[in-house]
Amino acid sequence: MTRWSHRHVLDLAAFSSHDYATVLELASRFHALPTAGARRLPALQGRLVTTLFFEPSTRTRSSFELAARRLSADVQSFSPASSALSKGESLLDTARTYVAMGSDVLVVRHSCAGVPAALARDLDQAGERVAVLNAGDGLHSHPSQALLDLFTLARHFAPEAPSPEALRGRRIVIVGDVLHSRVARSNLWALSACGAEVVLCGPATLLPQSFADFVAAPPPGQEHDPIAQRGSVRLERRLEDALPGADAVMTLRLQKERMRQHLITSLESYHRSYGLNHQRLELCGKPVPVLHPGPVNRGVELSGPLLDDSSCSLVEEQVRNGIPVRMALLYLLNG
Ligand code: NCD
C-alpha cells in the first residue's frame, strides 16, 4: 500500500525521502504504460480536476490536463480573462464555485507567491474536501516541475530503476536566473533531499549569495526538515568554474517579465558568459545531459544546435516525463 500523507501539494520543502520515492515509483509505472491504443486508466473515473491558471502556461497546464484525462478524470479549465474575476469576484469565491461543481482537485498557478497555499488553507477552514496542487506561484515554488526534473535525471542515471538514490553524490549545475526561478527553488529542495551536490551558477544580480543557505533551514511556518541530511549547495560566478566535474546541467530561462530593473547588460553578453553550447559543455569533462524547464530563449540560455541535439538535450524528454509525474501526483491526491 502506498503511504501518502499530503492533502495538498504546495511546496517540496515538506517532502520526505519516502514521498520522493513514491512519486518516482508511480511515475515509472505510468511511464511504462503503452502510449498508443487504449491508454486510459480508470483510476480517477468520476473525479473532477480543475486547472485554475491566473498566469500564462504552455506546458504545465496541458500536461496536467492530459495527465488527468489519462486517468479518466473529467477536466475543467478556468481562464481569468473570460471569468467573473473581471466582475470583482474574489479568488476564494472563484475557487469555491468550482468546488461547488464537484471539483476534487484544483491545480493552481498564480503570479503571487503563496496563493495556492492561502486557497488551500481557506478551503480547509471552510470544510471543503478539495486538494490543491501548486502549478507555480510567483518566485516561490513549482513542485511538479522539480519532480519531473528529478524523474528525468533519475531515469538518465538509472534507466532500469529510477529512484531518488540515483541522484546521491551527483553534481548538478543549475545555471542562470536563479533569483526569479521557482523551478530552481523547488529543485534545490528536491535535489538536496536526494543527496545531490548542487552547484548554482550566475551573476550576483541573478544569484544572490543568500542562496548558499537556501535549504539550511525549513521555510517559515514549517517546524522541521523531513530530510535528516541534505546534499550540499555551493555558488559559482563563472561557468568555467562551475562545469568541471558536473554530472548534469540545468539551465533556467531569463525571466524578463519578473525583472523590475536591468539585471543584465544585454542578452548577447549574458549568452557570452552563461549561455551553454556544445563547446562549453565539454568543460564538464565527459558527456552530460542538459535540461531546461522551458520556454527556452533559443540562443540565450542554450544555443540552438545544443537545444536540438537529442544526444545531450533532455528538454523534450522533460516535457514527455511531465505527464506520468503529474499522473502520479493526481493519483496520490485522490488516494
Ligand atoms: C517554468 C515556470 O513557469 O516557472 N516553466 C514551466 O512551468 N515549464 C519556467 C519558466 O517560465 O521559465
Side-chain angles (χ1 to χ4, degrees):
M1 249 315 259
T2 307
R3 193 158 38 83
W4 184 255
S5 59
H6 302 281
R7 240 175 88 52
H8 310 285
V9 171
L10 302 168
D11 185 4
L12 295 184
F15 263 42
S16 66
S17 301
H18 180 265
D19 295 332
Y20 289 105
T22 304
V23 172
L24 262 52
E25 213 232 287
L26 256 180
S28 302
R29 283 204 243 162
F30 290 137
H31 187 272
L33 292 173
T35 51
R39 49 189 176 181
R40 286 189 183 211
L41 294 177
L44 300 194
Q45 207 150 37
R47 302 293 175 106
L48 177 57
V49 173
T50 305
T51 54
L52 290 157
F53 276 54
F54 299 90
E55 221 190 37
S57 162
T58 307
R59 293 157 188 73
T60 308
R61 178 187 196 136
S62 328
S63 179
F64 266 115
E65 293 180 355
L66 206 52
R69 288 197 180 97
R70 293 231 169 127
L71 293 172
S72 303
D74 292 324
V75 178
Q76 199 180 32
S77 304
F78 157 88
S79 306
S82 57
S83 76
L85 267 188
S86 54
K87 299 182 186 169
E89 185 170 63
S90 78
L91 208 87
L92 177 61
D93 287 334
T94 302
R96 290 187 78 170
T97 302
Y98 286 102
V99 176
M101 285 187 234
S103 194
D104 298 289
V105 184
L106 300 177
V107 180
V108 182
R109 169 171 286 195
H110 201 283
S111 59
C112 293
V115 165
L119 266 185
R121 189 200 52 223
D122 289 351
L123 291 166
D124 282 348
Q125 276 170 5
E128 306 286 7
R129 291 287 310 153
V130 67
V132 177
L133 223 161
N134 182 359
D137 61 330
L139 310 186
H140 171 237
S141 172
H142 194 348
S144 65
Q145 179 68 43
L147 290 169
L148 78 86
D149 293 340
L150 190 63
F151 183 58
T152 304
L153 286 167
R155 273 179 47 81
H156 177 82
F157 293 128
E160 300 307 320
S163 76
E165 272 307 301
L167 269 292
R168 186 161 303 282
R170 305 278 182 182
R171 188 180 297 176
I172 314 295
V173 177
I174 303 182
V175 51
D177 187 0
V178 178
L179 175 62
H180 298 99
S181 177
R182 53 195 177 204
V183 175
R185 285 174 176 80
S186 285
N187 262 295
L188 275 165
W189 291 114
L191 294 170
S192 66
C194 301
E197 204 185 292
V198 183
V199 180
L200 299 173
C201 179
T205 47
L206 300 179
L207 173 58
Q209 194 59 38
S210 55
F211 272 91
D213 300 321
F214 187 77
V215 295
Q222 189 178 309
E223 271 163 32
H224 71 281
D225 189 341
I227 305 294
Q229 194 172 8
R230 290 189 178 269
S232 59
V233 179
R234 106 178 130 80
L235 267 57
E236 290 290 354
R237 295 290 169 213
R238 298 172 65 243
L239 209 43
E240 292 72 13
D241 297 325
L243 292 181
D247 292 302
V249 186
M250 191 179 286
T251 52
L252 299 172
R253 185 174 66 88
L254 279 179
Q255 309 247 327
K256 284 173 275 180
E257 76 279 18
R258 299 191 209 276
M259 294 185 193
R260 298 213 169 80
Q261 48 186 314
H262 289 287
L263 298 178
I264 53 168
T265 46
S266 71
L267 294 181
E268 292 72 27
S269 77
Y270 177 85
H271 183 67
R272 264 198 308 280
S273 303
Y274 296 100
L276 216 57
N277 55 29
H278 280 101
Q279 197 188 354
R280 274 246 165 86
L281 202 58
E282 284 179 11
L283 290 171
C284 298
K286 59 180 184 249
V288 303
V290 178
L291 293 86
H292 191 301
V296 179
N297 293 305
R298 187 178 275 270
V300 180
E301 299 103 26
L302 283 173
S303 71
L306 183 58
L307 175 61
D308 297 334
D309 179 355
S310 61
S311 72
C312 47
S313 166
L314 294 182
V315 177
E316 284 185 7
E317 182 75 12
Q318 286 171 277
V319 173
R320 278 191 292 275
N321 288 340
I323 301 164
V325 167
R326 292 181 170 116
M327 286 169 80
L329 290 173
L330 292 171
Y331 181 90
L332 289 165
L333 287 180
N334 276 281

